[in-house]
Amino acid sequence: MKKDDIVTLTIDDIGTNGEGIGRTEGITLFIKDALPGDMVRAKIMKMKKTYGYARLMEILKESTMRTTPPCPEHKRCGGCQIQALSYGSQLKFKENKVCNNLKHIGGFENPKVLPTLGMQEPYRYRNKAQFPVGYDKEGNLVAGFFASRTHNIIPVQDCLLGKEGNGRILSLILDTMKSYGVSAYDEKTGKGCVRHILIRYGEKTKEWMVCFVINGKKLPHAESFIEVLKDLPGMTSITVNINEARGNVILGEETYTLYGQGYITDYIGTISFQISPQSFYQVNPVQTEVLYNKALEYANLTGEETVWDLYCGIGTISLFLAQKAKKVYGVEIVPQAIADAKENALRNHISNAEFFVGKAEEVYPAYCAAHGEEARAEVIVVDPPRKGCEESLLAMMCEMAPQRIVYVSCDSATLARDLKYLCSHGYDLVEVQPVDQFGHTVHVECVVALHRVDM
């Protein structure tokens, strides 16, 4: 079997990135856009010794798991890898993905992984959209999303995962750019003005934010953009973010306000949060409440516990847990996030939460040493970035020996690696709850309960 061969095979599995997996003549083939149960014709594009990659040519027989995606760009766009998979099958795929990572990476023989908690409506759930702006091959101004594994912009003004108002906002901005000759940024030359349009929405407050990310100090014809946007229902914040650096980072460090205020607000449960363009805030607030309620359940708080939240961000989990804890301490290495967390505590009149800037593995032990046993955690909560926890942090957690650890994860592979460490240093894996925060993508959020074992 070699490159350019045409093969016919049945897909019997799905990979972690949503690609179909089939086998023929002892060779495993990975085929994008193929689903388990499909019989397909495919062209081999790349071969290794025991596996290869093929391009889907034709579906000869459709899988019973297959559904018709409503988005015409789902194959080209890099956002929705599994939109053609029925939603029930997506939830099962995510449960299996978590379970397989725990087995193969974490070494857990039979982990208790619960069925994935899904959404009532798996479309229109994203409260944040970042649209790159540029030109097509004919020189026309476009905005949308990057095609999978490229920086070629697919013109998509109304992504079906985003809020319906996004399309109207983006259309007004592009029309105004064309009318006044405001240029888009060119990645190749580093010239041009508007790089991205960032749009955020408050699910419960119905507030809208628009942030222009520009290559320069001032947005040309800013007053014209304000005029076309300010009267849209809920328009609360129009800002400009300055990013003059070459590279893929979307936001620069400096943001100023053109209209309204520099933030919008939203709620998780009864807790109100102030959200700026740079704020880390979950993109699916409905499922975030599901996730945090499960974290609260696993924390098993009676009102007498001290809780440390070791990747607290702007305080979302910390303040949610503070409703049931005696005291919550949050630690985050980003100073602006801690400033936002403190502001969010004040705006919600929460007095039993305290926040610190620094590395958690340094801040927490030092604070306990200075303030005694009362500062020591009965419960530790961690919600690290995709790369998971540093081993030094895991070691510190085990040394401080809280009764319970609640681990919130957006990557089940690094989660499995970290759970392997924790469970070889004094903890039992009690239960894993996958939550579908990102429908039609391969990503899955998890919340995990760990209990201390008497050593």
Side-chain angles (χ1 to χ4, degrees):
M1 197 173 295
K2 61 186 183 302
K3 186 177 183 296
D4 294 331
D5 280 356
I6 305 294
V7 295
T8 299
L9 72 163
T10 298
I11 305 300
D12 54 21
D13 204 350
I14 185 168
T16 57
N17 294 316
E19 69 278 28
I21 301 175
R23 294 164 180 85
T24 181
E25 298 181 20
I27 299 295
T28 298
L29 292 177
F30 297 89
I31 307 173
K32 183 180 178 292
D33 300 321
L35 300 177
D38 283 342
M39 180 182 288
V40 304
R41 287 178 68 248
K43 181 178 181 179
I44 296 176
M45 307 304 294
K46 190 176 184 180
M47 277 300 303
K48 300 291 185 179
K49 189 172 182 180
T50 59
Y51 67 94
Y53 299 90
R55 186 175 72 225
L56 179 65
M57 305 292 288
E58 182 183 3
I59 300 173
L60 303 173
K61 181 181 177 183
E62 286 194 352
S63 166
T64 56
M65 299 180 192
R66 183 173 286 279
T67 189
T68 302
C71 177
E73 302 292 352
H74 79 280
K75 286 187 178 180
R76 286 205 301 157
C77 176
C80 291
Q81 304 93 346
I82 54 173
Q83 197 179 121
L85 191 63
S86 68
Y87 189 58
S89 299
Q90 289 184 32
L91 299 180
K92 188 64 180 176
F93 157 70
K94 294 182 181 189
E95 176 190 337
N96 290 339
K97 179 178 180 177
V98 173
C99 194
N100 288 335
N101 279 334
L102 289 172
K103 288 178 178 178
H104 300 146
I105 299 173
F108 296 95
E109 187 174 337
N110 190 28
K112 185 179 180 182
V113 179
L114 302 180
T116 307
L117 296 176
M119 306 177 220
Q120 287 188 330
E121 175 48 65
Y123 288 98
R124 301 295 187 190
Y125 61 82
R126 286 188 65 95
N127 61 11
K128 176 184 176 183
Q130 298 174 140
F131 297 96
V133 183
Y135 299 97
D136 63 16
K137 292 180 180 178
E138 287 73 42
N140 300 308
L141 184 68
V142 294
F145 298 108
F146 292 129
S148 181
R149 300 184 182 182
T150 77
H151 270 213
N152 300 324
I153 298 175
I154 300 170
V156 179
Q157 291 183 210
D158 185 26
C159 170
L160 295 181
L161 301 192
K163 298 301 174 182
E164 290 188 62
N166 288 342
R168 173 67 173 154
I169 291 170
L170 202 57
S171 179
L172 289 170
I173 291 171
L174 291 179
D175 287 348
T176 305
M177 288 180 67
K178 292 172 188 174
S179 296
Y180 291 94
V182 179
S183 62
Y185 179 71
D186 186 328
E187 286 188 338
K188 293 179 181 177
T189 65
K191 299 183 183 300
C193 181
V194 180
R195 300 175 69 132
H196 280 79
I197 303 299
L198 167 64
I199 305 174
R200 304 190 85 147
Y201 178 72
E203 185 71 28
K204 293 187 179 177
T205 62
K206 312 302 180 190
E207 295 177 352
W208 285 96
M209 166 192 288
V210 174
C211 179
F212 294 84
V213 183
I214 64 170
N215 176 43
K217 302 298 183 187
K218 289 188 177 181
L219 176 66
H221 301 281
E223 65 284 351
S224 300
F225 290 106
I226 294 170
E227 191 61 31
V228 299
L229 294 173
K230 68 181 178 64
D231 292 330
L232 292 176
M235 186 56 64
T236 303
S237 174
I238 304 175
T239 61
V240 172
N241 176 268
I242 297 170
N243 182 3
E244 297 177 291
R246 301 290 288 264
N248 296 330
V249 176
I250 293 176
L251 291 173
E253 294 185 3
E254 182 182 348
T255 301
Y256 62 89
T257 302
L258 283 181
Y259 170 83
Q261 57 199 30
Y263 60 89
I264 59 172
T265 56
D266 202 10
Y267 287 81
I268 299 175
T270 60
I271 308 297
S272 168
F273 293 95
Q274 180 174 301
I275 307 158
S276 69
Q278 291 98 332
S279 292
F280 173 79
Y281 186 74
Q282 294 278 10
V283 299
N284 186 340
V286 174
Q287 286 297 93
T288 296
E289 193 166 340
V290 172
L291 184 79
Y292 286 5
N293 276 320
K294 182 57 70 170
L296 188 60
E297 175 191 326
Y298 286 167
N300 192 25
L301 301 176
T302 65
E304 298 301 318
E305 293 85 4
T306 298
V307 180
W308 280 79
D309 179 5
L310 301 185
Y311 286 92
C312 71
I314 64 170
T316 49
I317 294 181
S318 302
L319 300 180
F320 202 79
L321 296 176
Q323 301 171 95
K324 296 290 182 71
K326 180 177 74 175
K327 182 77 175 185
V328 176
Y329 298 96
V331 187
E332 173 61 59
I333 201 165
V334 181
Q336 184 55 52
I338 288 297
D340 288 345
K342 290 177 178 179
E343 175 61 32
N344 287 324
L346 286 172
R347 70 185 293 114
N348 288 282
H349 310 291
I350 293 173
S351 58
N352 64 330
E354 195 170 345
F355 297 96
F356 305 97
V357 177
K359 291 184 177 180
E361 58 266 40
E362 297 173 0
V363 171
Y364 174 37
Y367 190 87
C368 288
H371 293 83
E373 283 299 311
E374 189 157 325
R376 190 179 290 268
E378 280 86 29
V379 179
I380 284 180
V381 177
V382 286
D383 183 6
R386 194 167 297 280
K387 67 177 183 178
C389 295
E390 297 290 341
E391 189 170 310
S392 57
L393 179 62
L394 297 173
M396 181 276 293
M397 289 163 58
C398 294
E399 183 180 344
M400 301 305 282
Q403 296 168 14
R404 295 178 293 285
I405 295 174
V406 180
Y407 194 131
V408 180
S409 169
C410 60
D411 188 300
S412 58
T414 56
L415 169 68
R417 179 202 67 202
D418 291 352
L419 293 182
K420 182 177 183 179
Y421 183 97
L422 293 169
C423 290
S424 64
H425 290 80
Y427 286 87
D428 264 346
L429 175 59
V430 178
E431 191 170 278
V432 180
Q433 177 63 74
V435 178
D436 188 26
Q437 292 274 88
F438 314 103
H440 307 294
T441 79
V442 296
H443 304 297
V444 57
E445 201 91 2
C446 290
V447 57
V448 182
L450 296 139
H451 288 181
R452 181 75 185 172
V453 180
D454 291 333
M455 301 295 285

